Amino acid sequence: MEWDLMNGLPQELLQQPYDAIISTYALHHFTDEQKSLYITQLLQHLSPTGKILIGDVAFQTREQLEQCRQDSKGYWDEDEFYFVHEELKVALQEICELTFYPLSHCGGVFVISRKNINAD
């Protein structure tokens, strides 16, 4: 199936809950607002213990992103919107649990799950 994720998820994929939804190097084409909205929509399609796994160009802080931008001036892509963990966590803090695992100076994996509403 060929699909543009900017259109949300295809109807064929909305019929069941998922234990895992995985994205690799696709969502950096979304603005930060689009990322938050898309992740919010994906959360609705997880099973109660399901996880969203996102591997992409990502940074812990905005300062790290800006340093990488300066270090990569000759080939930095200004048309892409790279993840910043601290900012995404704040944007989604009311609706999900979000953990970031940095794997390099400019990439990592996010593990996202529904917020446990029964936690005290």
Side-chain angles (χ1 to χ4, degrees), residues 88-106:
L88 186 63
K89 188 166 188 159
V90 168
L92 298 173
Q93 68 186 346
E94 298 297 321
I95 61 166
C96 68
E97 302 294 333
L98 185 146
T99 306
F100 177 59
Y101 298 94
L103 299 177
S104 73
H105 74 284
C106 64

Side-chain angles (χ1 to χ4, degrees), residues 53-67:
L53 305 167
I54 301 171
D56 215 315
V57 178
F59 302 88
Q60 184 73 33
T61 67
R62 176 64 55 183
E63 292 77 22
Q64 289 172 342
L65 181 149
E66 292 302 332
Q67 183 62 54

